[in-house]
C-alpha cells in the first residue's frame, strides 16, 4: 500500500483498514503457531502498512490543529 493511496482515502476508511490489518496480523500469528504460515514477511509488510495508515492519520490531525491555530506556528 502506497502513501498516495492512503492519503486519497477518507479517515473512516483508514480506521477501517487499520482494524482489518490488525485482524490479519492476529490471523498470521495463529497460522505461524500452527505451522501453516509459509511467508513470514507478511508480518513486516502488514506492520508497515499499519504504520503508514497511522502516519497519514497523524498528518491529518496536525493539519487540523494548524488550521485551528490560525495557519502558522511562527508566533511562538
Amino acid at each position: 500500500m502506497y502513501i498516495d493511496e492512503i492519503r486519497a482515502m477518507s479517515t473512516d476508511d483508514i480506521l477501517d483498514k487499520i482494524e482489518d490489518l490488525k485482524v490479519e496480523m492476529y490471523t498470521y500469528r495463529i497460522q505461524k503457531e500452527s505451522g501453516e504460515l509459509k511467508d513470514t514477511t507478511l508480518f513486516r509488510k502488514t506492520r508497515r502498512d499499519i504504520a503508514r495508515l497511522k502516519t497519514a492519520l497523524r498528518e491529518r490531525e496536525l493539519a487540523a490543529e494548524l488550521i485551528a491555530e490560525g495557519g502558522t506556528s511562527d508566533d511562538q
Side-chain angles (χ1 to χ4, degrees), residues 25 28 39-52:
M25 286 289 290
Y28 296 152
D39 187 8
T40 57
T41 63
L42 293 174
F43 281 108
R44 174 183 274 181
K45 291 176 185 177
T46 306
R47 209 172 50 239
R48 288 183 179 180
D49 283 342
I50 292 171
R52 284 186 196 102

Side-chain angles (χ1 to χ4, degrees), residues 4-51:
D4 293 334
E5 295 171 0
I6 296 169
R7 287 183 179 138
M9 297 169 72
S10 71
T11 302
D12 290 334
D13 291 339
I14 292 174
L15 292 171
D16 290 341
K17 186 67 176 176
I18 289 172
E19 290 303 315
D20 292 343
L21 290 174
K22 286 182 178 182
V23 170
E24 279 185 40
M25 286 289 290
Y26 177 76
T27 305
Y28 296 152
R29 281 190 208 108
I30 299 297
Q31 289 176 355
K32 182 181 179 201
E33 292 300 317
S34 65
E36 297 174 13
L37 186 65
K38 301 296 182 203
D39 187 8
T40 57
T41 63
L42 293 174
F43 281 108
R44 174 183 274 181
K45 291 176 185 177
T46 306
R47 209 172 50 239
R48 288 183 179 180
D49 283 342
I50 292 171

